[in-house]
Structures are given as structure tokens and as C-alpha cells.
Amino acid sequence: INQLVAAQSLVMENAALKAVNSPPLSRNLARMNRAIKELQETAMSLHLVSIHFTFQKMVRVARDLSAKLGKDVRLVISEEDIQLNRTLEDEISDSLMHLVNNSIDHGIEKPEIRLAAGKPAQGTVELKAFHQDGHVVIQIRDDGAGLNKDRILAKAIEKNLVPKKNRLTEKEIFNLIFTPGFSTAAKVTNISGRGVGMDVVKQNIGNLKGKIEVKTRAGQGSTFTIRLPMSPEGRRPKKQ
């Protein structure tokens, strides 16, 4: 299709053709241009996949992990009609899986702890996707314990990731979770504590020209927001 579009451009820019004054030829060229454009849009759509399918993959991830950890977790999905390039979908899928795992493992408390804190026994993790200012925004929100600022800072100092006398803002402290090798897990398991994960998530999203940020409130949960630039092939399809 790229070669066809290139050939079309050469034909349309040809000086000899521009000198020809023929209404029938102009109509046929316009018809050809429309046909090539439709063919190009069709070819591009074959490389797209709805974010709905990406989100549906997380349902089983959440169900299996919550059962394994003895937690009662409800995954809520809210999405607009967003189409992603297949390559982008593959790369973002891994990051979302890690973030969902993280929310359930580190964010959502055990039922008895939630009840003691006056919360419902069942925790909630919400996956949300929408368009905003030329970007695809994906949010992973949980109603868990939130990030522990003091624990994060202490662990960072222990691992020599920041100088002990450094005065960091709250935002800077929370962003330490994206530092390579950082982990607050008490023990290493196949879920957490391996010192890899959030830094890789940030790197992968950065490779896609996107950004990730975290907002959290103690006892109320955390929200991770991913912003990805909307590529032309990922725009919402036109309604017929």
C-alpha cells in the first residue's frame, strides 16, 4: 500500500499531467484518489485492535491473583471505543498486567484488615480508558491502603537510592517506586520483591512516547495514570 501511495503522489505531481485540461481525466483521477484513500484506511484498520480485548485479559489476571492471595477483589472496567495499533497493544498489555498485579498485591488489603478499617471486605480495582487532548489515557485505580510515604523513603535510603539528608517532596518520594531496583516487598516471591517491575513499566511507556504518574492517599488507594500520544492509525474509526 505504501508503494501505491508513493506512485499516486508521483502521478499527481507530474508537471505534464497538470498541464492537461481534461474534465473526464480530472474526474477519473479524483475517483482513483478516493479509492486509494479507502484502501489505505482499510489496510490500516487491519492492524488495529480494540482496547476492550486488552482489558478483558486483565479479568482473569485479577481473579487468579486475588484468589491466590486470599483477597476479595472486584475488577471494574470502563472504556471508550479506543483502537490501538497491535504492536502498541502488545507492549501496553504487559505494563497493565503488572500494574493490576501491583494494585492487588500491594494496594488491596486482606478482607479482615479492610473491615477493621471500616471498608467493605471486597476491594475494587478500576481499569479506565478514554481520549483526552489528543492522547489515550489509561487509569488503574484501587481503593486499597495507598502508598506508604515513610516506608518508601526509608527503603530508598536503605538501598542508597537517595542521600539520607535529601529533602524530597511528597511527589518525588512516590516517584521513587519507578527507580530501577526499588521494592518495598518484605520477601521475594514470584509476584513481587524482585526489584524489577515499575521501572520497566515506566521505561516501556516512555518508549511509546508516553508518561505515567501516580497519585495516592493513605488508606484510600492509588491511581496510576498512563498518557499515550494518539497516533493517526489509532484514532476512533469514522461512523459509516
Side-chain angles (χ1 to χ4, degrees):
I1 187 66
N2 290 335
Q3 292 179 348
L4 180 60
V5 172
Q8 173 198 24
S9 179
L10 290 174
V11 170
M12 298 306 296
E13 294 299 322
N14 187 282
L17 180 64
K18 290 182 177 181
V20 176
N21 183 15
S22 171
L25 178 60
S26 296
R27 287 195 296 271
N28 288 333
L29 287 173
R31 186 180 303 168
M32 178 191 73
N33 289 338
R34 286 195 299 271
I36 291 176
K37 184 177 180 180
E38 290 176 1
L39 181 60
Q40 187 178 22
E41 290 177 350
T42 299
M44 290 170 65
S45 70
L46 296 176
H47 294 282
L48 299 179
V49 60
S50 172
I51 200 169
H52 171 78
F53 299 107
T54 309
F55 278 11
Q56 286 302 312
K57 294 178 185 177
M58 305 303 142
V59 174
R60 182 175 179 179
V61 171
R63 183 179 64 243
D64 292 350
L65 182 57
S66 58
K68 184 174 184 177
L69 297 174
K71 297 180 179 182
D72 185 2
V73 181
R74 178 176 64 119
L75 182 67
V76 178
I77 293 176
S78 173
E79 60 191 280
E80 291 184 4
D81 183 16
I82 295 174
Q83 306 289 319
L84 298 178
N85 178 283
R86 288 185 184 275
T87 301
L88 176 62
E89 191 273 340
D90 287 340
E91 296 190 28
I92 201 65
S93 180
D94 289 340
S95 295
L96 288 181
M97 187 174 299
H98 183 84
L99 289 168
V100 169
N101 281 343
N102 215 48
S103 290
I104 296 173
D105 187 19
H106 294 292
I108 301 297
E109 313 95 328
K110 290 285 185 71
E112 60 272 19
I113 296 176
R114 292 179 62 85
L115 288 172
K119 292 182 174 183
Q122 185 181 61
T124 300
V125 174
E126 181 182 7
L127 266 178
K128 187 175 183 180
F130 53 94
H131 295 92
Q132 185 180 75
D133 300 329
H135 289 76
V136 170
V137 180
I138 303 174
Q139 290 184 331
I140 303 89
R141 178 184 294 121
D142 68 70
D143 67 345
L147 299 180
N148 188 315
K149 181 178 65 174
D150 295 334
R151 188 178 177 193
I152 290 172
L153 182 57
K155 184 62 68 171
I157 292 173
E158 177 188 321
K159 290 179 172 289
N160 294 316
L161 298 177
V162 294
K164 190 173 183 178
K165 295 181 179 180
N166 242 24
R167 290 188 177 275
L168 302 180
T169 65
E170 188 174 81
K171 182 177 181 179
E172 288 172 334
I173 293 174
F174 291 140
N175 281 335
L176 288 171
I177 65 173
F178 298 112
T179 305
F182 182 85
S183 174
T184 59
K187 61 181 180 179
V188 176
T189 69
N190 62 349
I191 300 171
S192 53
R194 293 166 293 172
V196 295
M198 295 303 291
D199 60 314
V200 176
V201 169
K202 183 177 181 179
Q203 180 180 329
N204 289 344
I205 293 171
N207 291 340
L208 299 173
K209 309 300 183 186
K211 295 181 179 180
I212 181 171
E213 63 179 21
V214 58
K215 291 185 178 180
T216 185
R217 295 187 67 180
Q220 297 186 34
S222 303
T223 300
F224 289 87
T225 301
I226 299 171
R227 296 181 185 276
L228 298 169
M230 176 73 82
S231 58
E233 64 269 24
R235 297 189 190 280
R236 278 174 281 191
K238 297 177 181 178
K239 294 183 180 180
Q240 300 297 324

